[in-house]
Amino acid sequence: MMEDPYRNYAGIYDRLFDSMNKGLKLVGIRMFRPSKGMNILDVGCGTGSHLELYQRYQCNLFGIDLSPSMLEVARERLGDSAQLDLGNATEMQYEDDKFDLVISMLSLHEMSPDTRSTVLNEIKRVLKSDGRLLLIDFHPGPYKPMKGWISKTIIFFSELVAGRKHFKNYRQFMATGGLATLLSQNQMDIEKQSILAGGTFAVCLVFEDN
Ligand SMILES: C[S@@+](CC[C@H](N)C(=O)[O-])C[C@H]1O[C@@H](n2cnc3c(N)ncnc32)[C@H](O)[C@@H]1O
């Protein structure tokens, strides 16, 4: 069986990060306001706290995650209001052109460069042609004093304790320009963007460049 890097963190993940991350998620919802009946997929849904914010819009909610322990927390939180699937986002079970919106927060930076591109291709496949991708992830600055410096320091140490592979992928993601570079390498365009928390986070609404 594959190792679950979140086994020891799933139970405390929300206590550590939920209040810090909620404001970023709300910025994302303002960028793309869901309408009733839309199909929405959260890639790397973790404990389900992001999908929970979409419950009020009466959409069809789906989440996929590699970590059984994170998904267990998500299942307790969301019950049957979302379809939650254990799986790798490199190879998703969903049919082509299914989703109006795919969201993904803090998942891409921890993947290897090859995995990121494969996952973006899978996201393109499952998105409708006029669908949108909402990404929230770390931003490589410039950082504003003092807020940005403090936030950057907290991020750096939380990535450091997340394990060697995770930290290596995070460093590569930051050194190569974060979401902006990744998206342009994968023929995706940013329609709207907010840089927040003193330059340490980016919220991007993205569409496929056909
Ligand atoms: C830092 S957590 C973020 C969780 C959630 N998106 C949030 O913002 O609270 C990253 C999540 O991405 C998941 N993940 C990483 N690589 C994945 C992959 N290839 N397929 C599916 N999930 C993945 C991890 O298991 C983890 O739950």
Side-chain angles (χ1 to χ4, degrees):
M1 221 173 73
M2 231 180 69
E3 188 205 337
D4 180 356
Y6 282 90
R7 199 183 54 245
N8 297 323
Y9 302 109
I12 55 166
Y13 188 87
D14 289 330
R15 254 174 290 154
L16 289 176
F17 301 113
D18 211 24
S19 58
M20 205 164 76
N21 292 345
K22 188 170 176 186
L24 301 167
K25 295 170 184 163
L26 294 176
V27 169
I29 290 178
R30 281 200 294 275
M31 262 187 199
F32 184 97
R33 185 80 59 180
S35 340
K36 189 175 170 182
M38 279 185 171
N39 291 334
I40 300 181
L41 169 68
D42 188 352
V43 169
C45 63
T47 59
S49 59
H50 202 177
L51 278 176
E52 187 176 38
L53 296 175
Y54 286 82
Q55 275 176 328
R56 76 182 76 157
Y57 298 100
Q58 296 175 272
C59 296
N60 306 308
L61 303 180
F62 297 76
I64 183 166
D65 203 286
L66 258 185
S67 160
S69 52
M70 293 291 260
L71 265 192
E72 198 180 309
V73 179
R75 288 200 170 107
E76 272 173 36
R77 164 179 267 130
L78 299 169
D80 56 12
S81 68
Q83 178 183 316
L84 298 173
D85 298 305
L86 180 64
N88 195 331
T90 52
E91 215 175 338
M92 298 195 276
Q93 68 193 64
Y94 315 111
E95 71 253 34
D96 298 358
D97 307 318
K98 180 178 176 74
F99 295 101
D100 301 280
L101 176 67
V102 173
I103 61 177
S104 189
M105 175 160 183
L106 293 175
S107 299
L108 287 170
H109 77 266
E110 72 171 63
M111 299 173 190
S112 70
D114 284 353
T115 302
R116 278 179 212 135
S117 292
T118 311
V119 168
L120 284 176
N121 278 326
E122 267 297 85
I123 289 175
K124 286 183 204 169
R125 180 184 67 74
V126 300
L127 260 183
K128 291 181 179 171
S129 58
D130 60 349
R132 290 292 181 270
L133 168 62
L134 182 79
L135 294 175
I136 305 176
D137 220 315
F138 300 131
H139 185 67
Y143 307 118
K144 289 191 190 142
M146 294 294 296
K147 193 177 180 180
W149 297 346
I150 293 168
S151 175
K152 168 72 186 169
T153 306
I154 296 170
I155 291 166
F156 183 87
F157 284 104
S158 44
E159 292 301 295
L160 191 61
V161 298
R164 237 170 59 158
K165 207 161 78 181
H166 187 128
F167 188 61
K168 184 176 165 218
N169 291 336
Y170 156 76
R171 299 262 292 176
Q172 191 278 344
F173 177 80
M174 298 298 270
T176 53
L179 288 177
T181 307
L182 179 67
L183 291 167
S184 77
Q185 284 169 346
N186 286 277
Q187 293 75 49
M188 300 189 92
D189 286 331
I190 297 177
E191 182 176 338
K192 295 181 194 168
Q193 174 172 258
S194 274
I195 305 300
L196 300 158
T200 52
F201 282 90
V203 180
C204 298
L205 186 68
V206 177
F207 63 98
E208 186 176 358
D209 172 9
N210 287 307

